[in-house]
Amino acid sequence: MIERTLSIIKPDAVAEGHTGDILADLEKAGFKILALRMTRLSQAQAEGFYAVHRERPFFPSLVKFMTEGPIVVMALECENAIARLRELMGATNPANAVEGCIRKRFATSIERNCIHGSDSPETAAVELRYCFSTLDLL
Ligand code: ATP
Ligand code: MG
């Protein structure tokens, strides 16, 4: 099934100059980039994006991290896009990530883990709507 998913190159990876390498990995893996924008989240936007985690102890630090600099937001499409992106990203904590995945290559901690990917069809729909307009995705 052809799916769409939302991905973000996080502030750590943009600042360290890994944007091009991560985009190349995504394209080599067969993802079609439907929409892409560099932006910087406000505190309210980051809190809204990660609202499911608002009760977690790491939430204030996560919001601070996600607002520290520019990010690249993308709408991606391919067969089984949601699961395939999660696999290509690797585990949340790079210490547990398999060799060759994006987080193993570019993440430096469980927080500063270089890339986001939607975790379910429901989340993907909400996150795509949060970041892009319908017209962006035509
Ligand atoms: P993402 O949602 O960004 O794709 P994920 O689905 O692998 O990552 P989540 O559990 O949704 O992981 O956590 C969201 C983000 O919060 C993580 O990517 C990471 O940046 C941060 N985070 C998660 N767990 C921790 C933790 N224990 N300590 C610090 N930061 C964390
Ligand atoms: Mg998540």
Side-chain angles (χ1 to χ4, degrees), residues 46-86:
E47 287 171 353
F49 186 81
Y50 277 119
V52 292
H53 295 309
R54 64 185 171 274
E55 306 302 334
R56 309 287 288 277
F58 60 79
F59 184 70
S61 177
L62 173 61
V63 169
K64 187 158 179 278
F65 162 52
M66 289 300 293
T67 57
E68 75 180 27
I71 59 171
V72 175
V73 188
M74 293 165 280
L76 300 175
E77 184 176 84
C78 73
E79 188 79 18
N80 296 321
I82 296 163
R84 285 186 61 196
L85 177 60
R86 299 284 299 185

Side-chain angles (χ1 to χ4, degrees), residues 2-136:
I2 297 285
E3 280 178 336
R4 291 177 177 186
T5 191
L6 190 281
S7 185
I8 299 177
I9 303 176
K10 295 185 179 182
D12 56 335
V14 174
E16 287 156 25
H18 299 313
T19 301
D21 284 332
I22 292 173
L23 291 175
D25 280 0
L26 294 169
E27 290 196 316
K28 271 183 230 147
F31 288 94
K32 180 176 168 191
I33 300 171
L34 290 181
L36 179 152
R37 187 168 74 250
M38 181 174 269
T39 187
R40 185 168 177 170
L41 295 176
S42 68
Q43 179 166 332
Q45 287 168 335
E47 287 171 353
F49 186 81
Y50 277 119
V52 292
H53 295 309
R54 64 185 171 274
E55 306 302 334
R56 309 287 288 277
F58 60 79
F59 184 70
S61 177
L62 173 61
V63 169
K64 187 158 179 278
F65 162 52
M66 289 300 293
T67 57
E68 75 180 27
I71 59 171
V72 175
V73 188
M74 293 165 280
L76 300 175
E77 184 176 84
C78 73
E79 188 79 18
N80 296 321
I82 296 163
R84 285 186 61 196
L85 177 60
R86 299 284 299 185
E87 193 186 343
L88 194 65
M89 285 164 42
T92 306
N93 186 345
N96 304 326
V98 300
E99 216 51 57
C101 72
I102 292 174
R103 282 171 167 166
K104 190 72 175 186
R105 293 175 65 198
F106 302 121
T108 53
S109 73
I110 190 170
E111 177 176 85
R112 304 178 71 82
N113 61 6
C114 76
I115 187 167
H116 163 81
S118 307
D119 63 9
S120 71
E122 296 71 29
T123 313
V126 170
E127 292 179 350
L128 286 164
R129 218 177 309 121
Y130 196 84
C131 298
F132 292 104
S133 80
T134 305
L135 290 178
D136 291 327

